[in-house]
Amino acid sequence: MKHILPTITALWALLLQHSNSLQIQRRDDLSYSEPSYPSPWMDPEADGWQDAYAKAKDFVSQLTLLEKVNLTTGVGWMSERCVGNAGSIPRLGMRGLCMQDGPLGIRISDYNSVFPSGMTAAATWDRGLMYRRGKAIGDESKGKGINVLLGPAAGPLGRLPAGGRNWEGFSPDPWLSGVGFAETIMGVQDAGVIATAKHWVGNEQEHFRQAGEAQGYGYDIDESMSSNIDDKTMHELYMWPFQDAVRAGVGAVMCAYTQVNNSYSCQNSKIMNGLLKHELGFQGFVMSDWQAQHAGAATAVAGLDMTMPGDTSFNTGVSYWGANLTLAVLNGTVPEYRVDDMAMRIMAAFFKVGQEVEQPDINFSSWTRDTIGPVHAVAEKDIKQVNFQVDVRDNHGDLIREIAARATVLLKNEGALPLKKPKLLAVIGEDAGPNPDGPNGCSDRGCNQGTLALGWGSGTSNLPYLVTPDMALQQRALQDGSRYESIFDNWGAADQIQTLVSQEDATSIVFVNADAGEGFINVDDNMGDRKNLTLWNNGDILIKKVSAICPNTIVVIHSVGPVLIDDYKNNPNITAIVWAALPGQESGNSLVDVLYGRVNPAGRTPFTWGKTREDYGVHLLEEANNGNGAPQDTFSEGVYIDYRHFDSKNITPTYEFGYGLSYTTFEYSNIKVRKTHAGAYVAAEGETMEAPTFGDSEGEGGDLADYQYADNIDPVTLFIYPYLNGTTGEEASGDPYYGMNPEDFLPEGATDSSAQPLHPAGGQPGGNPGLWDVMYVVSATIKNTGDLVGDEVPQLYVSLGGTDDPPKVLRGFDRIRIDPGHSAVFRADITRRDLSNWDVVSQNWVISDCTKKVYIGSSSRNIQLEAKLK
Ligand code: NOJ
């Protein structure tokens, strides 16, 4: 008889749905995420995926249902050597997949490099460097046996200046963020490693991102927060960089902890099925964030393809998928084509980046630095050599130094820089020196001691060394014959500081910082998100103290985003201010390059520096505002974040988006606009094929007896397997309600396998190809009018002209090196997407009739040239 009985996972989904509907009935003002089913299956003809699809098809066609399920389900937290591990297929010689953080280098490993953060890379405004950074991170990952790198990030985008993880991503501007995202992805994947675009989508703050975590810091909430985002804002802002990622061929996307419009990201059919797979044509796989899966069958039909780390929550020993997914297919709850599609997506991403079934083993363990240790850490089983200390750093130190130097933003310079053999260099502040507990002294960098080279959380990496500013400056001072003294005490040492910085001819450099990170670590009452935008460790007082005495005070800031410095930035004794971002392991060397003029600074701030926290107009949700239910965070500012908000409200910032000085000067002239002959935009039409299935598994109706643990398997404690625990549905699921009809609770259309219409704004990975038609080519001449060679970063902004459009939005940039007295031509293509708004009615991109203008300048406020787009 046909099994049409639901699993415990499906029941869970039912309960969740039921409780959601109860809540919605009670609170019909809560924002709502509309359903989108069925889950789109892969397209064998998708641009860039044909070969990968063919290889995946050959491979997946050989798999049994158990093997397919094993690909989709992690083995459990700390059950193998990587941060996430998906099941292996020993019969075909395939070891388990290794997923490892993260966005700026390999997490919890050794002999790896620590790169500048994503935001720091964005500050270079240099596509080539962004790519090379991604490639180097990819090469290192490859060398360790990592299959899937858990980065880069563009969610958070940076809506909230205090958001804890903004530094992992690039910029609150979606265009700049999209460039950083895509270049990094291409770099990582060219190295043969699958990149993961995360976190999909709208995960803009750490507070309340996970109900359990929030309970830990005192909030009695049962559900994680909901980011309530309207359709236009979703498309024009938060989805934008992900669209670039999909177009760049990203292999994996990680769904987030948070809910979107009151549906958990990892079971939200609208964002996974509808936006990502249907509209954007994403062909790779969606992986859950760690414990972000909250249902079984419901997540499968909503578009999730892989659950990480595999257990329901860390070390429960049971999974929403694993055996439950096997059972759900056998009893017909989840259609077989959906599991086949999961396996296809995972394997297509695998083959797309050039990975092969037979591959070198993983040569490190995340859970110990000892050479010998357990392969299955949580079970303490299979003790052998797990760390091989493979040095994957190559010469990446040079690249890291170059990126951080080129990212460094000169915010103020009254002639103090570049330094020329200062007679006495007085370096003040904890942020110049080492962490007394060692460069890797705090787990996942959950402290702020010594110089700040990166933030905290899963987006961190163990430093192979850390060149502190103090080390590098002292070395340079010795070469120059300068006198050099440094004091790292931010709180005491007042007399010593006074004595030092008051001396005749002293050049003082005050080092200050502001840190942030991921919500599972609380540092000094900053729950991941910053509790304010001021400097840490008494930084303001330190700056004021030194600058009150020393007429040549230079301030160097290492920070995760903007800090409030308006109070003293105009003090004439402060002769220079430098933002050195989060530079990674070569911190001091990169800084010395800029301070001494080996590198002429051309970093540009990738966010706005406001005078006050309130000036940003958006607020971190710091209190649960929905009783025990999901805190509600409504993004009512729409697309107006960062400079878009400051511009539209006419608020003068401390330093505007895109701002940064040079040791030379540039002049802009001769703007030219050429209209191309791009054809009309054609909405995608037609249908997909019917849902394909692969392999010879029995699928629905299979005999449960065939899916039991084989006699030769000795299960590892807490390890997640795909096998069933019994020969009846009741036994296998442990579900007392086993027997309900899935049609009663799986959403309408969820199991449909018929051909589906294409999305009008879709058609190919990244969406409708017509969106990338070039509509205008704009150029301008830039002359270096100073007497030093330098890079200039011309920026192109467009005014879309509508009543609900920001005054201008970034739509192009370049970083161009120009010799003194010479000129260069800046050229930028403006695409259809660049000129379009998302039309919520037609569900497509539309160019409005409003007058459109183009601006070229050296920052978002220093506009030099403008023209109409006719
Ligand atoms: C949770 C974080 O949100 C995610 O970014 C990371 O990749 C996973 N943990 C794994 O460490």
Side-chain angles (χ1 to χ4, degrees):
M1 205 182 93
K2 188 175 155 199
H3 296 266
I4 49 160
L5 309 173
T7 64
I8 193 165
T9 57
L11 178 74
W12 184 236
L14 170 67
L15 292 175
L16 268 178
Q17 281 200 345
H18 193 54
S19 67
N20 276 347
S21 62
L22 285 182
Q23 198 174 35
I24 287 162
Q25 272 164 22
R26 268 204 325 267
R27 299 204 39 169
D28 52 12
D29 54 333
L30 284 190
S31 93
Y32 166 74
S33 187
E34 69 201 43
S36 180
Y37 297 99
S39 188
W41 35 92
M42 282 197 76
D43 173 6
E45 302 303 329
D47 281 354
W49 289 82
Q50 294 97 335
D51 289 352
Y53 184 95
K55 286 184 184 154
K57 185 177 170 190
D58 281 351
F59 185 79
V60 173
S61 298
Q62 301 172 56
L63 302 184
T64 65
L65 174 61
L66 289 169
E67 287 167 336
K68 290 176 201 163
V69 167
N70 216 32
L71 274 178
T72 69
T73 304
V75 298
W77 178 239
M78 292 177 72
S79 275
E80 275 183 7
R81 286 162 288 184
C82 298
V83 163
N85 308 270
S88 55
I89 303 178
R91 185 175 64 88
L92 298 178
M94 181 165 154
R95 68 157 167 82
L97 297 176
C98 166
M99 337 278 160
Q100 192 76 5
D101 294 292
L104 59 63
I106 305 170
R107 182 178 176 208
I108 36 184
S109 169
D110 54 13
Y111 297 93
N112 57 272
S113 308
V114 176
F115 291 78
S117 75
M119 185 181 270
T120 310
T124 67
W125 298 65
D126 185 322
R127 288 178 174 79
L129 284 179
M130 294 174 189
Y131 174 86
R132 284 167 61 203
R133 173 179 171 277
K135 174 75 165 52
I137 294 174
D139 284 337
E140 295 201 4
S141 304
K142 187 85 187 163
K144 291 282 183 185
I146 293 164
N147 299 91
V148 183
L149 180 81
L150 303 174
L157 183 69
R159 170 183 183 242
L160 304 158
R165 299 181 73 181
N166 297 350
W167 55 275
E168 291 186 45
F170 298 92
S171 163
D173 178 83
W175 208 95
L176 176 56
S177 202
V179 170
F181 216 26
E183 293 293 343
T184 308
I185 287 162
M186 290 188 284
V188 170
Q189 297 201 158
D190 283 353
V193 173
I194 300 170
T196 309
K198 68 185 188 183
H199 306 84
W200 177 251
V201 57
N203 186 171
E204 291 294 321
Q205 66 168 54
E206 296 304 288
H207 278 78
F208 313 125
R209 67 173 188 158
Q210 290 192 85
E213 205 171 77
Q215 287 156 15
Y217 50 77
Y219 287 92
D220 185 17
I221 54 168
D222 301 330
E223 305 293 347
S224 310
M225 65 173 287
S226 175
S227 298
N228 301 330
I229 308 176
D230 65 82
D231 194 27
K232 176 177 157 73
T233 304
M234 179 63 98
H235 281 83
E236 294 183 9
L237 199 57
Y238 298 102
M239 259 173 89
W240 187 286
F242 286 91
Q243 184 164 15
D244 290 314
V246 175
R247 189 167 154 88
V250 72
V253 168
M254 186 188 290
C255 53
Y257 285 127
T258 41
Q259 305 195 53
V260 175
N261 298 325
N262 291 295
S263 171
Y264 276 99
S265 296
C266 295
Q267 66 194 60
N268 186 317
S269 65
K270 172 69 186 178
I271 67 167
M272 292 191 293
N273 286 345
L275 300 181
L276 186 61
K277 291 182 174 176
H278 188 208
E279 184 184 327
L280 296 187
F282 174 56
Q283 301 295 315
F285 62 99
V286 182
M287 171 199 328
S288 72
D289 199 343
W290 271 231
Q291 321 183 89
Q293 188 190 28
H294 299 282
T299 59
V301 294
L304 186 70
D305 301 300
M306 181 187 276
T307 170
M308 278 292 140
D311 27 22
T312 49
S313 54
F314 291 170
N315 302 136
T316 55
V318 290
S319 178
Y320 291 115
W321 283 5
N324 277 313
L325 187 56
T326 306
L327 185 59
V329 172
L330 293 175
N331 70 21
T333 308
V334 170
E336 186 179 1
Y337 79 75
R338 184 69 269 275
V339 174
D340 286 5
D341 186 54
M342 295 175 190
M344 281 294 288
R345 286 171 176 276
I346 294 165
M347 292 312 297
F350 179 91
F351 290 121
K352 185 174 195 297
V353 301
Q355 296 186 10
E356 288 172 5
V357 172
E358 264 179 56
Q359 50 182 331
D361 203 7
I362 299 153
N363 56 39
F364 74 104
S365 168
S366 305
W367 318 117
T368 176
R369 294 272 58 80
D370 294 347
T371 300
I372 307 291
V375 172
H376 308 297
V378 73
E380 293 178 8
K381 205 166 163 190
D382 198 2
I383 311 282
K384 61 180 193 187
Q385 182 167 1
V386 287
N387 279 309
F388 292 78
Q389 291 90 24
V390 177
D391 193 332
V392 291
R393 292 173 295 165
D394 204 348
N395 59 353
H396 296 158
D398 295 345
L399 175 65
I400 290 167
R401 176 174 181 164
E402 187 183 349
I403 297 171
R406 300 205 179 279
T408 300
V409 182
L410 183 61
L411 294 170
K412 175 178 180 180
N413 188 16
E414 301 293 326
L417 297 177
L419 294 172
K420 291 177 203 80
K421 301 191 178 193
K423 199 164 175 193
L424 164 60
L425 203 52
V427 166
I428 310 294
E430 204 177 300
D431 182 71
N435 177 351
D437 293 334
N440 298 308
C442 317
S443 166
D444 283 323
R445 320 205 70 76
C447 66
N448 183 6
Q449 295 168 190
T451 194
L452 184 70
L454 58 163
W456 76 74
S458 67
T460 59
S461 183
N462 286 336
L463 288 154
Y465 58 80
L466 176 55
V467 180
T468 65
D470 175 59
M471 284 163 67
L473 283 165
Q474 169 154 308
Q475 198 179 17
R476 175 65 198 236
L478 295 184
Q479 277 169 22
D480 287 350
S482 303
R483 237 184 87 202
Y484 184 88
E485 291 188 35
S486 49
I487 302 174
F488 302 146
D489 187 345
N490 283 18
W491 305 91
D495 294 347
Q496 291 86 340
I497 291 174
Q498 159 131 20
T499 306
L500 179 61
V501 305
S502 60
Q503 292 178 38
E504 189 71 24
D505 290 330
T507 299
S508 303
I509 311 185
V510 186
F511 281 85
V512 290
N513 69 33
D515 201 357
E518 191 175 341
F520 71 94
I521 301 176
N522 167 352
V523 180
D524 193 21
D525 287 339
N526 296 271
M527 314 288 193
D529 304 313
R530 283 188 279 167
K531 60 185 175 192
N532 54 44
L533 297 185
T534 55
L535 292 167
W536 285 41
N537 297 331
N538 215 24
D540 289 312
I541 307 285
L542 201 63
I543 293 172
K544 286 180 183 168
K545 204 151 74 180
V546 174
S547 59
I549 307 166
C550 176
N552 188 15
T553 302
I554 296 164
V555 174
V556 174
I557 303 166
H558 288 114
S559 75
V560 290
V563 285
L564 307 180
I565 56 170
D566 215 61
D567 212 13
Y568 41 77
K569 76 151 198 195
N570 291 328
N571 177 337
N573 281 356
I574 297 182
T575 47
I577 306 177
V578 172
W579 182 59
L582 296 178
Q585 69 191 41
E586 289 280 330
S587 174
N589 286 335
S590 317
L591 186 70
V592 164
D593 287 347
V594 173
L595 294 185
Y596 283 83
R598 195 177 83 87
V599 169
N600 188 349
R604 301 287 181 258
T605 173
F607 50 77
T608 301
W609 298 60
K611 290 184 179 175
T612 67
R613 187 176 178 173
E614 291 66 38
D615 278 355
Y616 288 90
V618 278
H619 304 283
L620 190 74
L621 187 68
E622 281 169 304
E623 291 302 325
N625 59 2
N626 187 24
N628 301 122
Q632 299 292 308
D633 193 6
T634 300
F635 291 22
S636 48
E637 72 286 348
V639 299
Y640 296 86
I641 62 169
D642 201 73
Y643 70 91
R644 296 152 168 240
H645 166 77
F646 280 78
D647 286 357
S648 72
K649 293 274 187 269
N650 224 349
I651 301 169
T652 306
T654 297
Y655 297 114
E656 73 271 16
F657 174 82
Y659 169 84
L661 301 171
S662 165
Y663 296 151
T664 184
T665 49
F666 299 95
E667 226 174 62
Y668 286 58
S669 63
N670 199 21
I671 186 168
K672 286 190 189 146
V673 176
R674 182 169 64 82
K675 188 171 182 169
T676 67
H677 302 287
Y681 181 57
V682 185
E685 280 179 1
E687 284 192 337
T688 68
M689 60 184 180
E690 286 180 10
T693 54
F694 306 93
D696 56 3
S697 58
E698 286 173 272
E700 184 183 350
D703 185 347
L704 302 197
D706 297 339
Y707 295 86
Q708 309 299 308
Y709 283 84
D711 291 342
N712 61 355
I713 293 175
D714 175 18
V716 174
T717 314
L718 298 178
F719 198 93
I720 305 296
Y721 294 92
Y723 308 110
L724 304 185
N725 280 309
T727 51
T728 67
E730 289 82 345
E731 260 175 10
S733 68
D735 180 351
Y737 297 95
Y738 196 84
M740 291 169 67
N741 186 339
E743 301 298 325
D744 292 343
F745 58 88
L746 275 187
E748 204 185 321
T751 59
D752 189 353
S753 62
S754 64
Q756 299 292 314
L758 298 183
H759 194 291
Q764 285 297 341
N768 192 314
L771 294 171
W772 273 267
D773 289 345
V774 174
M775 311 288 287
Y776 294 91
V777 179
V778 182
S779 62
T781 303
I782 295 156
K783 184 173 182 189
N784 182 343
T785 48
D787 37 56
L788 274 179
V789 60
D791 294 358
E792 176 61 337
V793 180
Q795 298 159 39
L796 182 147
Y797 295 84
V798 166
S799 145
L800 295 171
T803 48
D804 194 18
D805 286 317
K808 57 182 152 4
V809 289
L810 182 76
R811 288 298 190 250
F813 65 81
D814 203 355
R815 177 164 176 147
I816 311 174
R817 181 149 311 163
I818 311 176
D819 285 328
H822 287 248
S823 296
V825 176
F826 163 59
R827 194 170 280 114
D829 291 344
I830 304 183
T831 65
R832 190 187 309 276
R833 181 173 75 139
D834 290 335
L835 295 178
S836 298
N837 288 102
W838 180 252
D839 180 33
V840 298
V841 177
S842 65
Q843 287 292 294
N844 212 334
W845 294 95
V846 171
I847 300 182
S848 73
D849 294 335
C850 306
T851 308
K852 310 221 175 324
K853 277 173 111 177
V854 60
Y855 304 94
I856 295 178
S858 64
S859 79
S860 62
R861 292 215 164 186
N862 190 11
I863 299 297
Q864 302 284 330
L865 306 167
E866 61 178 78
K868 272 195 181 153
L869 291 175
K870 288 186 280 214

